[in-house]
């Protein structure tokens, strides 16, 4: 029974012995990750026990010796003598408690099943995650998986953040909703999604080889995923130049188009996997295409819509073509409230039709300062995709309004920071981080980069969304039919849809499933202009003229391809 000091706390347990769930190693790794401390696999952290805790400690140890409870840990607060029991969750991959099964082609088969939902709603009911007990179980500062919750007061609607830590990577999920309780749940869902997207938690990666050895029948061609543009080769140490005979690690996904397993580069499917000499990184991934849902089908639908949304946004941005304006929906209370809230701090809300050849409604939204001399960030962009155009429109407005308020609430950049950002306009290769993309476009001098959206007077007048966006389909009562219908739409344009199941046992126990959706050939979101992936995506050149946004097929040399402003 390990006992150790941890600041003002004394930590007792868990009881060790043959076969207990949630062992000492799980406890120490969980505590270290939650506290963002360095970890060693076979040691426990702590200092000298305070003498004042000895009486309570001795009594508790005697009790536990007589009544051992495996995987239960006690936290003794030395300030007031209170004891708090905590259940130690099994750490995925723990060699004693939860050795992960190998990632094999035969373990990834995905045969979609009917998933009934209320008419037009794409979320299934789940009683295990419906109440406040779900947030309480997930948000544990001692073990996680969510280590902290935060609320933002200065927002036009409830906004909650949720932190999660995997290894040395800390990620945040954000929830926006009509109530604080709902916003907390959404934030926790997003944090869990990010956590499972960072590293494999459900299967152990075992395949290390080259694409040349696997071939297109067994693996996704890395070139089709969007490799960094060749002009930046050697300027970033985040990845190495790709060649087909380069051995890398792979995980398996299921091609919904070809009905077969396909290997995907591990660091593309899990964007937090560290680069090592024996497992080099050929591109820099992120959470693009990740989804969490109450079934694999629901998660895959969410992930696929995100792929479509990001592809459409980047298609519009990099093609530098004007888009048709959309008027805010009349009579919509939420849209009206958020539009008014933005106006109060000097922003006008602009909405655009970014729908591509797939015919799935995509709305690009922009909050722009009316005065170019305002000290607040000049612009904030977002987007949303959904088969129902009104849902896409409202989602884009929510994302933009809440995001604009978040950025406006930050301190204004000082002179040194403004100088750093201004240099990015002259040398886009200096745009290295996610925040650089947003902050650059917050400068008044960067307004010229998005003026193309309004350059064509024939498309600059806003029209009702029903006259611009594709008509909504008949309300569906089975989200699986919606998913397979979207997969078929992409297949009609020669695109494969691959689903990588990222679910771990903890999430599965709550009826939750996580996936990474991969659609080779679509434009993928990248952060850091050096990692821009446009040179190997032919659709960027052919789709704009197909949509009437360009007079002819383009060449890369004709496109300015400025750093994007997407968050």
């Amino acid at each position: 029974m390990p006992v150790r000091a941890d600041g003002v706390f004394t930590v007792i347990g868990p009881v060790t012995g043959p076969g207990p769930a949630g062992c000492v190693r799980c406890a120490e790794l969980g505590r270290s990750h939650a506290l963002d401390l360095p970890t060693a696999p076979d040691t426990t952290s702590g200092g000298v026990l305070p003498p004042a805790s000895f009486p309570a400690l001795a009594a508790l140890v005697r009790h536990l010796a007589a009544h051992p409870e495996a995987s239960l840990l006690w936290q003794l607060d030395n300030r007031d003598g209170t004891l708090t029991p905590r259940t130690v969750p099994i750490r995925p991959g723990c060699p004693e408690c939860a050795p992960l099964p190998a990632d094999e082609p035969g373990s990834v088969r995905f045969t979609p099943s009917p998933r009934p939902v209320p008419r037009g709603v794409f979320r299934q009911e789940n009683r295990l995650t419906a109440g406040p007990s779900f947030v309480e179980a997930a948000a544990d500062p001692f073990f996680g998986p969510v280590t902290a919750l935060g609320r933002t007061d200065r927002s036009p609607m409830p906004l909650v953040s949720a932190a999660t830590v995997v290894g040395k990577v800390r990620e945040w999920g954000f929830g926006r909703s009509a109530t604080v309780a709902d916003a907390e749940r959404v934030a926790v869902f997003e944090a869990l999604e990010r956590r499972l997207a960072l590293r494999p938690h459900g299967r152990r990666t075992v395949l290390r080889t080259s694409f040349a050895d696997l071939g297109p029948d067994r693996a996704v061609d890395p070139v089709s995923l969007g490799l960094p543009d060749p002009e930046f080769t050697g300027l970033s140490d985040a990845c190495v130049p790709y060649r087909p005979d380069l051995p890398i690690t792979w995980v398996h996904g299921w091609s919904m188009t070809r009905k077969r397993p396909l290997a995907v580069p591990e660091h593309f499917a899990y964007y937090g996997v560290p680069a090592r000499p024996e497992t080099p990184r050929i591109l820099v991934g992120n959470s693009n295409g990740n989804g969490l849902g109450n079934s694999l089908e629901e998660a895959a639908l969410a992930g696929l819509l995100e792929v479509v949304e990001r592809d459409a946004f980047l298609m519009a941005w990099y093609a530098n073509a004007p888009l048709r304006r959309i008027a805010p929906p009349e009579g919509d209370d939420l849209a009206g409230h958020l539009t008014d809230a933005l106006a109060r701090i000097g922003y006008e809300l602009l909405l655009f039709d970014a729908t591509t050849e797939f015919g799935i409604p995509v709305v690009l939204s922009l909050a722009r300062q009316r005065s170019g001399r305002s000290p607040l960030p000049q612009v904030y962009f977002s987007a949303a995709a959904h088969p129902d155009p009104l849902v896409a429109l409202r989602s884009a407005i929510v994302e933009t309004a809440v995001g604009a308020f978040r950025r406006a609430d930050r301190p204004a950049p000082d002179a040194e920071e403004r100088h750093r950002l201004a240099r990015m306009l002259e040398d886009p290769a200096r745009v290295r981080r996610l925040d650089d993309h947003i902050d650059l476009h917050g400068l008044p001098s960067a307004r010229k980069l998005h003026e193309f959206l309004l350059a064509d007077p024939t498309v600059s007048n806003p029209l009702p969304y029903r006259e611009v966006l594709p008509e909504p389909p008949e309300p569906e009562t089975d989200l699986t039919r919606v998913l397979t219908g979207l997969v078929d739409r992409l297949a009609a344009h020669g695109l494969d849809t691959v689903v990588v199941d990222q679910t771990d046992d903890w999430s599965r126990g709550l009826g939750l499933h996580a996936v990474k959706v991969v659609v080779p050939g679509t434009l993928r979101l990248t952060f850091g202009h050096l990692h821009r992936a446009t040179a190997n995506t032919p659709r960027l050149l052919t789709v704009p003229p197909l949509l009437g946004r360009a007079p002819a097929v383009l060449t890369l040399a004709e496109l300015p391809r400025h750093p994007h402003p997407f968050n």
Side-chain angles (χ1 to χ4, degrees):
M1 184 188 304
V3 179
R4 59 268 193 213
D6 190 6
V8 298
F9 298 105
T10 299
V11 183
I12 306 100
V15 176
T16 60
C23 66
V24 177
R25 187 177 189 274
C26 293
E28 292 306 292
L29 286 175
R31 292 196 314 132
S32 299
H33 287 167
L35 297 171
D36 199 17
L37 298 173
T39 59
D42 299 314
T43 62
T44 58
S45 59
V48 178
L49 299 175
S53 69
F54 288 176
L57 180 59
L60 180 61
V61 170
R62 282 195 298 270
H63 172 79
L64 292 179
H67 309 283
E69 296 180 70
S71 78
L72 192 64
L73 178 146
W74 291 82
Q75 186 179 27
L76 172 63
D77 190 328
N78 298 314
R79 296 168 296 185
D80 57 15
T82 56
L83 283 165
T84 304
R86 296 181 181 275
T87 301
V88 177
I90 296 174
R91 302 297 297 182
C94 174
E96 294 185 16
C97 303
L100 296 180
D103 182 283
E104 301 284 358
S107 64
V108 300
R109 177 175 292 276
F110 174 31
T111 304
S113 302
R115 300 293 178 185
V117 289
R119 185 174 296 274
V121 176
F122 294 166
R123 289 290 184 185
Q124 303 165 255
E125 294 185 0
N126 183 348
R127 61 179 179 80
L128 297 176
T129 62
S133 59
F134 163 66
V135 174
E136 294 171 3
D140 182 348
F142 212 62
F143 288 121
V146 173
T147 57
L149 290 174
R151 296 180 185 176
T152 301
D153 294 330
R154 193 172 182 272
S155 176
M157 62 190 302
L159 172 64
V160 175
S161 59
T164 188
V165 180
V166 177
K168 297 183 181 299
V169 180
R170 182 179 296 274
E171 284 275 1
W172 293 87
F174 293 92
R176 313 149 187 85
S177 193
T179 67
V180 172
D182 284 345
E184 282 186 342
R185 292 178 63 251
V186 175
V188 169
F189 285 141
E190 186 168 290
L192 294 177
E193 175 190 299
R194 297 292 176 88
R195 171 180 172 267
L196 295 173
L198 285 165
R199 303 271 188 91
H201 287 78
R203 292 194 294 267
R204 176 170 44 89
T205 302
V206 296
L207 181 61
R208 181 178 181 272
T209 186
S210 67
F211 177 72
D213 288 336
L214 291 172
D217 290 335
R218 296 176 56 197
V220 172
D221 187 347
V223 173
S224 68
L225 297 176
L227 298 174
D229 287 9
E231 66 187 277
F232 297 130
T233 299
L235 297 183
S236 170
D237 58 2
C239 48
V240 301
Y242 170 72
R243 62 178 194 274
D245 63 347
L246 178 70
I248 59 174
T249 50
W250 305 76
V251 296
H252 289 93
W254 182 260
S255 167
M256 295 188 67
T257 311
R258 293 199 263 170
K259 308 293 190 300
R260 62 181 304 159
L262 282 180
V264 178
E266 182 190 32
H267 59 275
F268 185 80
Y270 297 94
Y271 67 96
V273 171
R276 296 183 293 271
E278 68 277 13
T279 56
R281 182 186 286 123
I282 57 174
L283 49 80
V284 178
N286 52 51
S287 63
N288 190 64
N290 284 104
L292 184 80
N294 298 301
S295 64
L296 279 176
E297 292 83 359
E298 183 180 309
L301 177 57
L304 182 55
L305 287 174
E306 184 170 276
V307 170
V308 170
E309 167 204 307
R310 306 292 171 78
D311 171 81
F313 184 100
L314 295 173
M315 185 71 69
W317 181 262
Y318 287 136
N320 212 50
L323 302 177
R324 290 187 297 175
R325 287 273 305 277
I326 306 171
E330 292 185 4
D332 188 289
D333 291 342
L334 178 61
H337 162 65
L338 295 177
T339 302
D340 291 344
L342 286 169
R344 284 196 297 272
I345 60 173
Y347 287 98
E348 60 177 333
L349 178 66
L350 305 178
L351 303 167
F352 302 88
D353 174 23
T355 306
T356 65
E357 78 273 31
F358 306 143
I360 303 166
V362 181
V363 175
L364 185 155
S365 50
L366 163 62
R368 185 172 70 162
Q369 273 292 319
R370 296 182 184 277
S371 169
R373 295 181 297 275
S374 170
L376 293 178
Q378 291 296 297
V379 296
Y380 189 87
F381 282 87
S382 194
H386 197 278
D388 185 332
L390 181 57
V391 174
L393 197 58
R394 297 177 92 240
S395 297
I397 293 172
V398 168
E399 290 280 346
T400 300
V402 175
F405 267 81
R406 279 183 59 220
R407 303 303 290 196
D409 204 28
R410 296 175 55 181
D414 57 22
E416 181 180 354
E417 176 66 1
R418 289 196 302 271
H419 177 67
R420 186 183 76 87
L421 294 173
R423 295 181 69 186
M424 294 178 188
L425 278 176
E426 305 167 5
D427 181 9
R430 293 178 178 273
V431 176
R432 297 296 182 100
R433 304 170 302 177
L434 182 152
D435 281 346
D436 289 345
H437 287 267
I438 315 304
D439 293 340
L440 167 65
H441 289 274
L443 295 175
S445 53
R447 287 172 70 100
K448 60 186 179 183
L449 299 184
H450 70 264
E451 291 296 343
F452 69 87
L453 286 169
L454 299 167
D456 188 342
T458 64
V459 298
S460 60
N461 295 320
L463 297 171
Y465 76 90
R466 291 183 178 88
E467 298 180 24
V468 180
L469 295 170
E471 292 186 5
E474 289 296 319
E476 182 56 79
T477 58
D478 184 348
L479 65 81
T480 295
R481 284 199 292 266
V482 179
L483 170 64
T484 55
L486 296 185
V487 170
D488 291 343
R489 284 198 190 195
L490 270 64
H493 293 277
L495 299 177
D496 195 357
T497 300
V498 181
V499 176
V500 179
D501 186 355
Q502 300 174 325
T503 314
D504 68 341
D505 289 339
W506 188 90
S507 303
R508 192 176 288 109
L510 289 171
L512 295 174
H513 300 263
V515 303
K516 169 80 168 186
V517 176
V518 181
V519 183
T522 56
L523 284 164
R524 66 180 182 88
L525 188 65
T526 58
F527 296 109
H529 198 57
L530 295 175
H531 307 136
R532 185 185 68 194
T534 58
N536 296 300
T537 312
R539 289 180 56 256
L540 175 59
L541 307 179
T542 59
V543 169
L546 179 67
L547 300 173
R549 298 175 187 167
V553 175
L554 307 170
T555 66
L556 284 176
E558 295 176 282
L559 302 180
R561 291 176 290 166
H562 298 301
H564 68 75
F566 200 86
N567 186 354

